[in-house]
Amino acid sequence: MRLAGKSALITGGNGGIGLATARLFVAEGAKVAITGRNRQTLEAAAAELGPNALALVADATDVAAMEAAVARAVERFGKLDIVFANAGIPGHTPLGGTTREAFEKVIRTNVTAVFFTVQAAVAQMNDGGSIILNGSVISVLGSPGYAAYAASKGAVRAMSRVMASELSPRGIRVNVVAPGAIRTPIWGAAVATPEAEKAFEARIGRATPLGHLGEPDHVASTVLFLASDEAAHIQAQELFVDGGATGAPSGAPIYR
Ligand code: NDP
């Protein structure tokens, strides 16, 4: 068990990548507090995860709610060893078709809320802990229509480096996991029906050197690695889990 005796907080732990990570953490011996806004999916996740999980309704953009969630997690499981700031939203923000509100919603959720999640958590964290932020390949791909989202994930990378500097004296590591396209509900209409999902899968596969869409477990196992002692000397890094999409784009099937 790679996380025996550890306690963890995962924001957005009621679905997609966050829930896959919570499952793996519990299987590896951790006690895990998960947060999200949707009470129903949180309760379903907690029922599935069992007694070593605690589900807490908390909007990550609400600083007081996150502080309260951290306090409840600590009360139940003791001081935190691991934080996965995973909650995030997509957003279509093309030049010429975007309101300030739409743009700022993405920044508020994916940047400001991540900062305040970490701020609330570090006050209740053991020295020597591990913080993982969820980034994205979109931060480097220049994908059209994604200005706010790309900026938010670039900001996540930049913030992680500052946090790593500030927290190194306490032995707390801060790293980023940067997924490529992963099969989760975040893709909305693109994965809403079996036909749409099939077309999406084929499109992503053609643009990915390894030839297929990523699964939540691909990211969860990377987060587990970064959270565990196996990554004890890894600090301020960004690990891409994208089948080669950013590192070797010319190897994608469309170029063969
Ligand atoms: P999902 O939509 O499946 O999950 C998003 C999670 O975030 C949900 O649990 C949701 O819960 C939670 N969440 C969203 N907004 C808030 C909020 N304001 N407060 C609390 N919780 C919130 O998406 P993924 O699992 O795919 O996404 C997880 C992370 O991975 C995101 O940061 C995303 O940007 C990143 N990512 C995903 C990729 C992909 O292809 N799937 C690729 C690259 C990065 P609730 O609705 O209950 O609030």
Side-chain angles (χ1 to χ4, degrees):
M1 295 253 231
R2 290 151 82 184
L3 301 182
K6 306 278 188 195
S7 90
L9 172 73
I10 299 177
T11 64
N14 48 340
I17 292 167
L19 179 54
T21 306
R23 283 190 193 110
L24 196 52
F25 276 19
V26 167
E28 291 289 340
K31 300 194 185 312
V32 181
I34 57 171
T35 66
R37 294 162 302 178
N38 185 318
R39 184 178 298 277
Q40 227 179 342
T41 51
L42 274 168
E43 281 172 4
E48 181 202 324
L49 293 168
N52 285 334
L54 172 68
L56 300 163
V57 177
D59 186 330
T61 65
D62 179 341
V63 175
M66 278 313 299
E67 287 171 354
V70 167
R72 287 202 45 207
V74 170
E75 196 181 286
R76 173 84 173 268
F77 294 144
K79 276 189 151 189
L80 298 169
D81 302 291
I82 301 159
V83 176
F84 182 27
N86 161 73
I89 55 168
H92 185 60
T93 56
L95 281 172
T98 299
T99 61
R100 178 175 169 150
E101 193 189 9
F103 195 94
E104 289 186 341
K105 186 176 176 202
V106 175
I107 301 298
R108 192 161 55 244
T109 307
N110 295 0
V111 182
T112 315
V114 169
F115 176 85
F116 284 100
T117 293
V118 173
Q119 178 166 280
V122 286
Q124 299 292 338
M125 246 180 123
N126 287 315
D127 289 357
S130 173
I131 297 171
I132 301 102
L133 311 183
N134 206 332
S136 171
V137 294
I138 302 286
S139 70
V140 297
L141 287 179
S143 310
Y146 275 106
Y149 186 80
S152 76
K153 296 301 188 177
V156 162
R157 168 171 52 245
M159 280 200 306
S160 72
R161 295 176 179 198
V162 175
M163 289 170 174
S165 288
E166 292 187 15
L167 297 173
S168 282
R170 291 180 55 193
I172 294 176
R173 297 180 295 104
V174 186
N175 293 290
V176 175
V177 66
I182 306 293
R183 191 193 313 273
T184 74
I186 205 171
W187 289 99
V191 295
T193 64
E195 300 75 48
E197 189 170 343
K198 221 168 153 208
F200 176 69
E201 208 172 346
R203 179 163 68 82
I204 297 297
R206 285 194 296 277
T208 306
L210 287 181
H212 55 81
L213 182 63
E215 304 296 339
D217 282 344
H218 288 132
V219 184
S221 56
T222 307
V223 177
L224 169 64
F225 165 67
L226 289 171
S228 74
D229 291 343
E230 288 163 26
H233 206 49
I234 299 183
Q235 175 68 304
Q237 293 301 310
E238 182 173 31
L239 199 37
F240 286 85
V241 183
D242 65 356
T246 52
S250 306
I254 43 171
Y255 296 118
R256 286 177 203 158

